[in-house]
Amino acid sequence: MKKIGVIIVLIFIFFSCNKKVASVETQENIQQPKSIDVTGKQISVYSTVHGSDIKLKLTEILKFGEFQQPLETESAILVDPTKEFQTFLGIGAALTDASAETFYKLSEENQAKFLEAYYSVDKGIGYSLSRTNIHSCDFGSESYTYIEEGDAELKTFNIDHDRAFRLPFIKAAIAAAGGELKMYVSPWSPPAFMKTNGSMLHGGKLKQEFAQSWANYYAKFIKTYEKEGVPIWGLTIQNEPMATQIWESCIYTAEEERDFLKNYLGPTLEKEGLGDKKIIVWDHNRDLIYQRATTILNDPEASKYVWGVGFHWYEDWKDGQPMFDNVAKVHEAYPDINLVFTEGCTEKYDITRITSEDPKLAERYGKSMINDFNNGTVAWTDWNILLDETGGPNHVGNLCFSPVHGDTKTGDLTFTNSYYYIGHFSKFIRPGAKRVANGSNTNKILSTAFLNKDNSIVIVAMNQSNDELPYTLTIGSKTAKLNIEAHSIQTIVLK
């Protein structure tokens, strides 16, 4: 009996010791919250103000003081860099035929100025992302494909059309970006013979008998562009798959897009050695993004091919209100899926809105970027990077605004406030940054915040009101006092 008692005691001691060791190990493995000390950090404030010559300029250098409790009657932004969220991929724009055609009508001096303005981090706004179209979209002088009509086997496939303007333009952009520029591609329509309406324009659907041929077309395009020295990082399945447009368009229901992806496009890319390309679904407005995401991502055979969900901002045609919450709903339901803003511009070009500096043009960008990033978006892509003095060229007359317009008659470049507003994000928030927690206590000031890989903290604040506003910025136990002009945007950088 004594032996049994001794054995029981030893067993008890053994398990007690192991429990203590496990407890210690668990405590050691618990990640302690990061601490951030901004004492003595220099605060550089860069501003763009409507109706002034202040365009992305360093306007103030401040330092933090002691903590100040914000009152309900005061405007305040609070940032907590210890709470990190999604990893930032980049910001950029679409390199379309229209942009390329306009670019080559500029003087060589203005071509160089344009490329530096967009792609230099030091002297420009540091774009790191790009998109281009698979054969034609509406923004270009003509509608075209890469094959002869009826060639389902793609024997006549060639990209000679793109060699005149678009390919050299894309290569110039890559060079200006330092030799690396993430590029994803999108089709607006299959060739006419592959569609139910027999036209690349006016909607219609992909005929089932050409599904494999159309999937082969994507692979052919990617491989051909890469042979030309243009690496392709990813692709979307279809631009605006729920819109029947007067230009190149093609309709897919959520189920049709899902089935084309899992039965044709996904397997074809893998078979062709292109399984590493990032596939982005939807590529349309925020209104139906959740329905499209659930239909595709709830199917394991389709979702295994999906890297991200793309979206546009044109849903506000209904009531003037963007539906930012729908982006957050997708992020909440599918936190491992990447959200990408794939297109946005202001339609119905009117030069007087540029000359009068209509604040709504640029503020549409600022409002969307701040809300989209705060809702989990990892990358943001503007539409045409450059358009001419008419808002084109566009072969169906769908003339729009661009952040930069080139006058093909005089050769002059016009940098609108939209360019500078986008620059308040792209110049300072660099690929690899982490979004961090932030909050504003007033609807007049919108804000977002990021922590770069070099540990610099970047806060973007936008005042969309008619009033100049004093506000406080608090990080940890320190507070700084700032002012933001009416209809202006600021980037606050802490290094």
Side-chain angles (χ1 to χ4, degrees), residues 389-413:
E389 70 278 10
T390 71
N394 186 291
H395 67 83
V396 292
N398 180 34
L399 304 174
C400 296
F401 289 89
S402 175
V404 179
H405 286 269
D407 191 319
T408 58
K409 297 174 183 175
T410 66
D412 294 335
L413 284 170

Side-chain angles (χ1 to χ4, degrees), residues 405-479:
H405 286 269
D407 191 319
T408 58
K409 297 174 183 175
T410 66
D412 294 335
L413 284 170
T414 298
F415 291 84
T416 74
N417 273 348
S418 297
Y419 163 84
Y420 297 105
Y421 267 53
I422 296 170
H424 274 272
F425 300 84
S426 60
K427 182 177 180 69
F428 302 101
I429 306 166
R430 303 305 302 159
K434 291 278 190 181
R435 183 175 66 84
V436 296
N438 85 103
S440 168
N441 74 335
T442 171
N443 289 322
K444 291 182 177 180
I445 302 178
L446 305 178
S447 66
T448 191
F450 284 82
L451 178 66
N452 279 316
K453 288 164 68 174
D454 65 0
N455 287 323
S456 61
I457 300 170
V458 176
I459 302 106
V460 181
M462 188 182 89
N463 179 5
Q464 54 188 344
S465 77
N466 296 322
D467 306 311
E468 179 182 350
L469 299 171
Y471 71 98
T472 59
L473 171 65
T474 297
I475 301 179
S477 61
K478 301 294 179 182
T479 301

Side-chain angles (χ1 to χ4, degrees), residues 328-342:
K329 288 171 185 173
V330 174
H331 182 59
E332 182 180 43
Y334 305 98
D336 296 328
I337 291 294
N338 299 282
L339 289 160
V340 180
F341 183 88
T342 48

Side-chain angles (χ1 to χ4, degrees), residues 91-93 118-119 125-129 177 181 382 385 403 422 426 430:
I91 293 170
Y118 267 118
Y119 293 104
I125 61 173
Y127 271 10
S128 55
L129 185 67
L181 184 63
D382 185 30
I385 196 170
I422 296 170
S426 60
R430 303 305 302 159

